[in-house]
Amino acid sequence: MSVMNPGTKYGRVGDIEMKNRRWPSAKITKAPVWCSVDLRDGNQALVNPMGVDTKLAFFDLLVKVGFKEIEVGFPAASDTEFEFMRRLIEEKRIPEDVTVQVLCQAREALVKKTLEAIKGAPHAIFHLYNSTSPAQRKYTFNKSKEEIKQIAIEGIKCIKSCLTDEERKNIRIEYSPESFSHTEIDYAVEVCDAVMKEWGATKDNKIIFNLPTTVECYTPNVYADAIEYFADHISDREAVIISTHCHNDRGTGVASAELALLAGADRTEGCLFGNGERTGNLDIVNVALNMYAQGIDPELDFRDIQGIGEKYTEYTGMEIFPRTPYVGELVFTAFSGSHQDAIRKGMAARTKMEKNALWDVPYLYIDPHDIGRQYEGIIRINSQSGKGGAAYILENDYGLILPKAMHPALGKVVQAEADRAQRELQTKEIYDIFEKQWFGKKDNIQILDLSETHVESKKDDEDLETTLCRGVIVWKGQQFIIGEKGNGPLDAFAAALGSTPAPKFSVTAFHEHSIGTGTNTSAIAYVQLTCEDGNEYWGVGKSTSVGRAGIAAIVSALNQI
Ligand code: KIV
Ligand code: ZN
């Protein structure tokens, strides 16, 4: 038997008898009505709830992101919440196309205080709730199903009685059977039907039924069943906006909200980056950008996700986990060498495509640029990285285009350093390793003096062009005067070394490119030497002349031995 045997302590929750469920074949085709609950559900879960000024700044951020419905608080619960609501109204901070929402329990004194708080708002959503699950009925309220239903009806009656006909036009009702996820589905429908009847909701004056997974206690498919069942059984579906409010206790809040949209939900409540009670509310950014990544306009603006994340952290004091989808620090970073290689190739291929070509870069779910993130951080080097990553950084950040055949040699020295450091290496460190390895080694050979002369001669009536290379070198501490002819500077220098104890070699690869611009242009040469014993060595040289860069590269290669 397993050591963690749940026995009879836990069991399946919420299975719903469904005859012909439709949602598994549905598709998400448009954004729902989004409602941010950051300033209420998110706020109530903070170690230090936000003050009025912070809430005002957060409200402005939510408006900028594009939320048209924003739950701003629980005005009857504290002076701060009340004052915040009043300031929004009195300082005319609510844009015409934004509706503020206030939460209130179905209790007369609280309803009255809440209505006082929203007086003068151009339009508002009054969000009434009471708990309906068996455990809440039994332990918290010690009331019957009928009595619990009456609490909801009385709440609606109270709101109606406090409003003039004129005021009623500007107020919409949202009702939440709180703890819906643990409530018997038929009973939840019964309570909502009673609420709808009491308020007098119609097709033109819809009521919002918010069906929360107050505690996420079942798998997302069961939540989708609950939403579809509710939609099919509520007495007047036309008069209802079905809203979801998913918490994340099982870590499947995003999936629940998405499947609920398939099941017919019209509206989605959630918080930026999933803040909220316990494991949080639905991460609304995640759902919106999931839509974006499937070609659907999310109707929210996350083009500067990093800026939004920074403000969120400042206002709430909450950190963002580095692997949070889209916003986490590491989500556009590849550590594995094969991932880096595939990304590099995918990116290179895109440079030849049309601007709006379908995104298909391996390992990058979306184009980081779309949400204001950068390609620069994509490749980092640690001991798990392959040869391609370091070469990519040298090319991307330093303009050094190492031949592919040299990548393993570079990868080996970089990997050894990453192993030694036991951490990720920064871009500059990678360049320093490269420089030390190929420009900094002087133990075997150094040039003290060198000249090349272009020689034109005739042999058997044929014009011959050769280069004469003369100079003084040091091999392992001993000086040698060298001089020899060759087809070019590289060839002549290689031949001239024949008179020294340096190992005999042939140049088996040569690549060069220019680097820099204008008067700062230099040549970079990469050579591969194959020695008599079969060993191969890469060298790199830099000079204002291609010939000299090649000679420097030979010297660099001989210093690798
Ligand atoms: O999670 C919940 O049930 C709530 C309600 C007040 C809607 O936050
Ligand atoms: Zn909640």
Side-chain angles (χ1 to χ4, degrees), residues 40-41 103 127 129 176 178-179 210 212 214 245 247:
R40 197 278 299 169
D41 212 333
L103 182 73
H127 180 183
Y129 78 99
S176 292
E178 203 244 32
S179 61
N210 187 48
T214 303
H245 178 110
H247 279 269

Side-chain angles (χ1 to χ4, degrees), residues 261-518:
L261 290 174
L262 298 180
D266 309 295
R267 184 177 185 271
T268 304
E269 293 193 350
C271 289
L272 297 185
F273 313 121
N275 185 34
E277 292 278 9
R278 307 180 307 281
T279 47
N281 279 275
L282 163 77
D283 179 349
I284 217 161
V285 182
N286 197 160
V287 179
L289 287 175
N290 284 355
M291 285 184 188
Y292 177 83
Q294 305 232 325
I296 299 163
D297 179 358
E299 295 174 21
L300 291 176
D301 182 355
F302 292 115
R303 282 174 302 169
D304 176 23
I305 200 162
Q306 220 138 305
I308 295 168
E310 278 160 22
K311 285 192 171 149
Y312 160 83
T313 300
E314 181 192 332
Y315 301 154
T316 61
M318 299 293 294
E319 298 295 334
I320 293 177
F321 179 58
R323 301 206 184 274
T324 306
Y326 304 104
V327 69
E329 191 201 331
L330 297 178
V331 299
F332 296 114
T333 303
F335 286 91
S336 131
S338 62
H339 291 207
Q340 292 169 3
D341 186 50
I343 290 170
R344 195 158 42 86
K345 288 172 179 156
M347 297 280 214
R350 279 197 81 75
T351 59
K352 295 178 198 106
M353 294 178 192
E354 277 179 30
K355 196 167 166 272
N356 273 332
L358 201 66
W359 182 256
D360 63 353
V361 174
Y363 299 109
L364 288 181
Y365 181 47
I366 65 165
D367 182 347
H369 273 136
D370 291 354
I371 51 173
R373 304 209 50 185
Q374 299 297 324
Y375 289 129
E376 277 90 76
I378 288 171
I379 292 189
R380 295 185 177 185
I381 301 299
N382 65 11
S383 60
Q384 302 304 303
S385 311
K387 45 199 175 7
Y392 175 86
I393 285 180
L394 290 183
E395 180 170 340
N396 213 42
D397 295 4
Y398 295 94
L400 295 161
I401 309 165
L402 273 62
K404 199 158 172 36
M406 189 185 168
H407 291 190
L410 173 70
K412 199 168 152 202
V413 284
V414 171
Q415 209 151 339
E417 189 56 32
D419 265 336
R420 203 194 53 73
Q422 288 289 300
R423 61 174 172 79
E424 177 196 311
L425 300 178
Q426 301 302 308
T427 302
K428 169 79 168 63
E429 290 177 298
I430 288 159
Y431 179 77
D432 290 346
I433 292 167
F434 167 81
E435 193 180 43
K436 190 168 153 213
Q437 183 73 21
W438 279 285
F439 294 141
K441 287 193 167 185
K442 297 188 165 69
D443 285 356
N444 290 345
I445 178 168
Q446 273 178 274
I447 295 175
L448 295 185
D449 185 31
L450 198 68
S451 69
E452 303 118 51
T453 321
H454 185 71
V455 184
E456 288 181 16
S457 56
K458 268 197 189 306
K459 191 177 174 199
D460 300 335
D461 252 12
E462 229 183 280
D463 289 334
L464 281 183
E465 287 189 41
T466 50
T467 303
L468 173 63
C469 180
R470 279 189 295 213
V472 183
I473 63 125
V474 176
W475 177 262
K476 300 222 167 160
Q478 234 188 313
Q479 279 193 20
F480 296 90
I481 296 169
I482 58 168
E484 192 52 87
K485 279 194 285 187
N487 289 334
L490 204 72
D491 192 41
F493 180 70
L497 288 180
S499 63
T500 73
K504 305 287 168 278
F505 62 84
S506 36
V507 177
T508 41
F510 176 84
H511 301 261
E512 66 82 26
H513 64 82
S514 59
I515 191 164
T517 49

Side-chain angles (χ1 to χ4, degrees), residues 21-29 228 259 261-264:
R21 42 175 77 73
R22 301 179 303 280
W23 64 262
S25 332
K27 292 192 170 44
I28 296 175
T29 54
E228 192 168 286
L259 296 197
L261 290 174
L262 298 180

